[in-house]
Amino acid sequence: MPEIDLTTHWAGIASVIIFVAAYLLVVFEESTHMRKSKPVMLAAGLIWALIGLAFLGMGDTESAGRHAREIIEEYGELFLFLLVAITYVNTMEERRTFDVLRAWLIGRGLGYRPLFLLTGVLAFFLSSVLDNLTTALVIGTVVMALGRDNPRFVTLGCISTVVASNAGGAFSPFGDITTLMVWQAEKLSFFEFFDLFLPSAVNWAVPAAILYFAIPNEKPPAVTDRAKAKPGMWGVVALFGLTIAIAVSFKNFLHLPPALGMMLGLGLLQMFSYWLRLTGQRRNDEEFVLDSFKEVQRVEWDTLLFFFGIIFAVGGLGVLGYLSLASDLLFTDLGPTTANVILGVLSAIIDNIPLMFAVLTMDPSMSDGEWLLITLTCGTGGSLLSIGSAAGVALMGQARGVYTFGAHLKWSWAVALGYLASIGVHLLLNAALF
């Protein structure tokens, strides 16, 4: 909580105006063609400049810097963690891991309805270790390849993929940036997240059961799609699993930041790529060669810099006192359960990263059950609208003209039923944690 209330100060009011203006530019990214990281980075810098001036005007030369360094530490840990995770995903893509998966799915010769369920289940479990964006793009490609002659299957398959990708990320500390933030803030232990497995599964299963009967009961035309894995593909997959285990062990047993464990895993990947390069040179086979630094370069910097801007902008509003006001209104007046459900619905309109960081900055006094609830609602609420999550936005671009905002909105009632059902299952199943 801030030491001084600056919510009515000129610097506070100006900061709110700057933040709202920047976020509007983020919302209209598609029409302005301005990458979302640019306005929020500018807003973050301006907000902290105003904070510095406000504190300086009161003769305080220490507080602003102390608050900023605390946020730098939080962001630094998350940045290193995500840098390694995204590098591993890029490397698996370069070794054709996802191409192999897609070819395997397409070659099963199943009907539309079994394929609808299979792609949803795969998206659910994949997103627990990959981010929802990567999962949606991989499974979305499969859905479009299978339904190239059936737009209805593509539309419903994309809705299922979005819901499953978001739901699967909610029960794993690695599944979404918001769950990672909660874990690294030590609000929940690593294994407590898995108490959300059944609620998350219900979040997808309810709308999937409704959509299932709208899927044509037919078989798609036979498709031959072959993909050959590059040498070392399974080695990279195994190293990714080992890296996750190391990160968990660093935090749970050594009481060290999990980002350090992830960096150790990056070192292992670097050594493995060196071994592949030597093997490729010895066999005169370019397929072996893996440039791990190139995969680091391919990291989605727009996302990481957007993450920086949002964390510092929201953190700045917290220093100014606005998050204290929001906390009193939401968690004191309405109560944590109601507040967490409302915030989940808001995540269909507002990105879940600033919402979750705002909650962590407010730091309301909540039971483990309530922290699990906000993790669930903030992670899955974005499924209510196609624009509510990165997964939905990506698939609208990938299946342009078929999977649209209106097509998703037509079935939002079914997604909402799953959202409410998952909350009910959590309240019932994990009642002892409240």
Side-chain angles (χ1 to χ4, degrees), residues 267-308:
L268 293 173
L269 179 62
Q270 298 278 14
M271 296 304 294
F272 184 63
S273 69
Y274 175 72
W275 176 80
L276 283 174
R277 182 168 64 83
L278 291 180
T279 304
Q281 290 173 348
R282 189 170 62 250
R283 298 186 182 184
N284 196 26
D285 187 348
E286 286 295 319
E287 286 283 278
F288 274 86
V289 178
L290 170 62
D291 186 347
S292 57
F293 286 107
K294 186 176 180 181
E295 303 313 314
V296 175
Q297 291 172 2
R298 290 202 304 123
V299 165
E300 181 53 62
W301 288 103
D302 181 50
T303 298
L304 291 177
L305 293 177
F306 170 75
F307 193 27
F308 166 86

Side-chain angles (χ1 to χ4, degrees), residues 329-393:
L329 172 64
L330 288 169
F331 294 97
T332 302
D333 296 346
L334 297 178
T337 300
T338 303
N340 289 335
V341 174
I342 291 173
L343 287 171
V345 175
L346 282 176
S347 70
I349 304 169
I350 302 173
D351 192 275
N352 61 356
I353 294 173
L355 282 177
M356 182 58 82
F357 187 74
V359 173
L360 290 170
T361 305
M362 294 176 199
D363 197 19
S365 178
M366 295 198 298
S367 64
D368 285 4
E370 293 292 357
W371 279 110
L372 285 170
L373 179 59
I374 186 58
T375 300
L376 174 68
T377 57
C378 208
T380 62
S383 301
L384 294 168
L385 297 175
S386 62
I387 60 170
S389 66
V393 172

Side-chain angles (χ1 to χ4, degrees), residues 203-218:
N203 186 278
W204 169 74
V206 169
I210 296 169
L211 294 172
Y212 177 83
F213 294 101
I215 297 288
N217 192 16
E218 305 167 3

Side-chain angles (χ1 to χ4, degrees), residues 6 72 78 98 100 175 211 282 339 371 382 422:
L6 297 173
I72 287 172
L78 288 167
F98 304 128
V100 170
L211 294 172
R282 189 170 62 250
W371 279 110
S422 66

Side-chain angles (χ1 to χ4, degrees), residues 21 25 32-33 35 49-50 59 66 69-70 77 112 124-125 140 150 169 184 219 221 226 243 269 284 288 333 335 408:
L25 288 173
T32 62
H33 303 292
R35 302 293 288 271
L50 292 173
R66 186 179 71 253
R69 281 187 286 273
E70 289 172 356
E77 287 188 26
Y112 283 122
F124 181 80
F125 285 103
N150 197 310
Q184 294 208 149
K219 270 193 172 186
R226 297 183 180 275
T243 297
L269 179 62
N284 196 26
F288 274 86
D333 296 346
H408 190 108

